[in-house]
């Protein structure tokens, strides 16, 4: 999806949108995925591409200049990379925290080396076993994840292992069961996001047609069922909400309902508070730089370093013109970053 950048008067000072510090980088490292998730099109990509270690080496001077402190590895499935150690170790050697976002299917293979590669692992868990396997469309996927986590617990005892659940039609009645399953796996936390229905993220060349959106989104009756499930989750897991095992607050959990109500036109769409375009960047395998997963690219690393690309006129105009509360992409966003410098 393209976005027309607003014309900023010449008198407006865009220097306030100049990025000198970038704490967080989301780094695509592999184009393919080993799941066939109903709510994602990444697995349909027809080519295999991965981040070359020498390309990462070219980025490292800019990471140092910008003070990057945290790199999140995404894809596709990062663990499909032919030499994931060559990506992780240069980052960790420089004191940069490395978080892995993974389907979890290959955790067993990397259980012995995980402590050398990652500071944190976030696994996609979309429900109890039967629901998860239905959504991922991989027989025995849940069981493979559980076996991998058990091995990690024995071999990489200090790494936080977290779960993230994407809420959609197939699992909206199973949130409480999902938390129970995550606890049974001995994971350290549980988090929920609504399924993205309207962007070109996750390998979508075009926005999904309405029929496809309806396969993942909720009907009016299903939104009511989700509301009941969210309230049951809040009531049943008060201790987990208080101690942070469930990452979201009750208000954020209720935003799941609001997201699907807004999609049906029952509520106005409301953008979350977000500072992502000023504190993070998503770097794709072709060098494209996005301010987040959902907004269009604002630059490319092809011939310049990251600092220069983030601060070229196109990127400055984008940040200067971005009105998050009224931006149509932001208003339908399913996640956000509200980073505060410390």
């Amino acid at each position: 999806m393209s976005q027309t950048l607003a014309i900023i008067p010449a008198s407006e000072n865009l220097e306030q949108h100049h990025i000198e510090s970038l704490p967080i980088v989301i780094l695509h490292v592999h184009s393919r995925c080993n799941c066939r998730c109903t709510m994602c099109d990444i697995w349909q990509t027809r080519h295999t591409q991965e981040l070359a270690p020498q390309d990462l080496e070219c980025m490292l001077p800019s990471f140092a200049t910008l003070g990057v402190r945290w790199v999140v590895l995404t894809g596709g499935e990062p663990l499909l990379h032919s030499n994931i150690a060559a990506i992780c170790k240069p980052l960790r050697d420089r004191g940069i925290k490395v978080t892995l976002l993974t389907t979890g299917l290959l955790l067993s293979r990397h259980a012995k080396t995980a402590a050398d590669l990652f500071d944190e692992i976030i696994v996609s868990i979309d429900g109890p076993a039967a629901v998860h396997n239905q959504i991922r469309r991989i027989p025995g996927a849940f069981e493979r994840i559980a076996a991998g986590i058990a091995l990690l617990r024995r071999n990489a005892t200090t790494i936080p292992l977290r779960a993230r659940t994407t809420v959609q039609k197939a699992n909206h009645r199973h949130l409480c069961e999902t938390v129970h399953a995550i606890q049974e796996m001995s994971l350290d936390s549980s988090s929920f996001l609504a399924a993205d229905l309207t962007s070109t993220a996750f390998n979508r060349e075009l926005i999904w047609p309405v029929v496809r959106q309806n396969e993942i989104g909720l009907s009016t009756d299903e939104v009511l069922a989700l509301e009941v499930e969210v309230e049951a989750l809040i009531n049943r897991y008060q201790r987990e909400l208080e101690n942070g095992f469930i990452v979201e607050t009750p208000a954020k959990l209720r935003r799941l309902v609001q997201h699907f109500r807004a999609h049906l036109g029952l509520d106005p769409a409301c953008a979350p508070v977000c500072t992502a375009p000023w504190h993070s960047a998503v770097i794709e395998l072709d060098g494209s730089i996005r301010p987040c997963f959902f907004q269009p690219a604002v630059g490319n690393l092809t011939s310049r370093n990251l600092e220069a690309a983030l601060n070229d006129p196109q990127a400055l105009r984008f940040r200067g013109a971005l009105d998050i509360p009224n931006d149509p992409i932001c208003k339908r966003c399913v996640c956000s970053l509200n980073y505060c410098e410390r």
Side-chain angles (χ1 to χ4, degrees):
M1 177 164 55
S2 63
Q3 175 167 305
T4 302
L5 297 178
I7 303 299
I8 306 296
S11 59
E12 181 165 337
N13 181 12
L14 292 181
E15 285 304 307
Q16 63 182 310
H17 299 289
H18 190 280
I19 290 178
E20 296 181 353
S21 173
L22 191 77
I24 303 167
V25 167
I26 297 93
L27 195 60
H28 285 251
V29 297
H30 200 279
S31 62
R32 300 294 295 273
C33 188
N34 51 5
C35 280
R36 301 170 63 85
C37 302
T38 58
M39 65 287 188
C40 176
D41 291 342
I42 292 175
W43 59 272
Q44 298 188 52
T45 185
R46 297 178 180 177
H47 68 283
T48 299
Q49 185 179 3
E50 65 180 27
L51 179 68
Q54 57 266 33
D55 290 336
L56 175 64
E57 287 291 335
C58 292
M59 299 179 199
L60 292 176
S62 290
F63 284 13
T65 300
L66 291 164
V68 173
R69 300 198 290 272
W70 183 12
V71 170
V72 180
L73 304 183
T74 187
E77 170 52 59
L79 293 181
L80 287 173
H81 196 284
S82 61
N83 190 359
I84 193 65
I87 302 300
C88 298
K89 288 185 177 180
L91 296 168
R92 297 195 75 191
D93 287 347
R94 289 161 173 80
I96 297 173
K97 175 183 176 180
V98 176
T99 291
L100 170 70
L101 302 184
T102 179
T103 64
L105 296 178
L106 297 176
L107 288 177
S108 293
R109 182 185 302 178
H110 295 274
K112 291 184 179 180
T113 59
D116 295 325
L117 301 178
F118 314 114
D119 295 282
E120 176 186 49
I121 297 175
I122 300 176
V123 187
S124 296
I125 303 290
D126 287 319
V131 175
H132 179 88
N133 293 345
Q134 174 195 356
I135 290 172
R136 296 278 154 171
R137 296 192 285 200
I138 300 291
F142 186 93
E143 293 76 10
R144 286 170 62 183
I145 294 168
I149 289 168
L151 274 176
L152 281 169
R153 285 297 185 205
R154 292 198 292 271
N155 289 279
T157 57
T158 62
I159 298 177
L161 304 176
R162 310 190 189 282
R164 179 170 294 166
T165 302
T166 301
V167 179
Q168 50 137 311
K169 184 183 290 287
N171 65 5
H172 71 282
R173 299 175 187 268
H174 303 281
L175 305 191
C176 292
E177 293 175 74
T178 301
V179 171
H180 179 71
I182 290 166
Q183 289 177 317
E184 289 290 298
M185 282 183 166
S186 298
L187 290 167
D188 295 305
S189 68
S190 173
S191 179
F192 294 92
L193 290 175
D196 170 57
L197 304 172
T198 58
S199 84
T200 55
F202 313 115
N203 198 43
R204 301 170 192 162
E205 294 183 1
L206 299 170
I207 296 174
W208 275 345
V210 172
V211 171
R212 183 77 175 92
Q213 293 179 29
N214 290 342
E215 291 174 358
I216 305 302
L218 307 187
S219 67
T220 302
D221 288 345
E222 288 167 337
V223 168
L224 292 174
L226 175 62
E227 186 171 17
V228 170
E229 184 71 7
V230 166
E231 294 305 318
L233 181 68
I234 292 169
N235 290 328
R236 187 176 304 176
Y237 289 100
Q238 291 183 15
R239 183 177 63 181
E240 286 79 1
L241 286 162
E242 291 170 358
N243 65 24
F245 180 85
I246 296 177
V247 173
E248 287 76 26
T249 64
K252 286 189 175 181
L253 290 172
R254 291 179 176 120
R255 258 188 77 86
L256 296 169
V257 179
Q258 193 274 335
H259 170 79
F260 289 107
R261 285 183 58 83
H263 182 71
L264 293 172
L266 301 174
D267 282 345
C270 181
V273 176
C274 182
T275 63
W278 294 270
H279 291 119
S280 68
V282 178
I283 303 177
E284 300 184 334
L285 285 164
D286 64 358
S288 296
I289 302 170
R290 292 177 181 258
C292 67
F293 280 110
F294 308 105
Q295 291 286 355
V298 295
N300 196 287
L301 283 175
T302 303
S303 59
R304 293 169 298 172
N305 63 41
L306 179 58
E307 184 182 16
L310 286 171
N311 292 303
D312 75 2
Q314 178 186 3
L316 288 172
R317 286 196 301 270
F318 171 82
R319 291 192 292 274
L322 184 60
D323 177 11
I324 287 177
N326 297 304
D327 182 85
I329 295 176
C330 294
K331 287 169 71 173
R332 295 189 177 275
C333 185
V334 297
C335 64
S336 66
L337 172 72
N338 186 16
Y339 182 88
C340 297
E341 292 282 4
R342 295 177 182 176

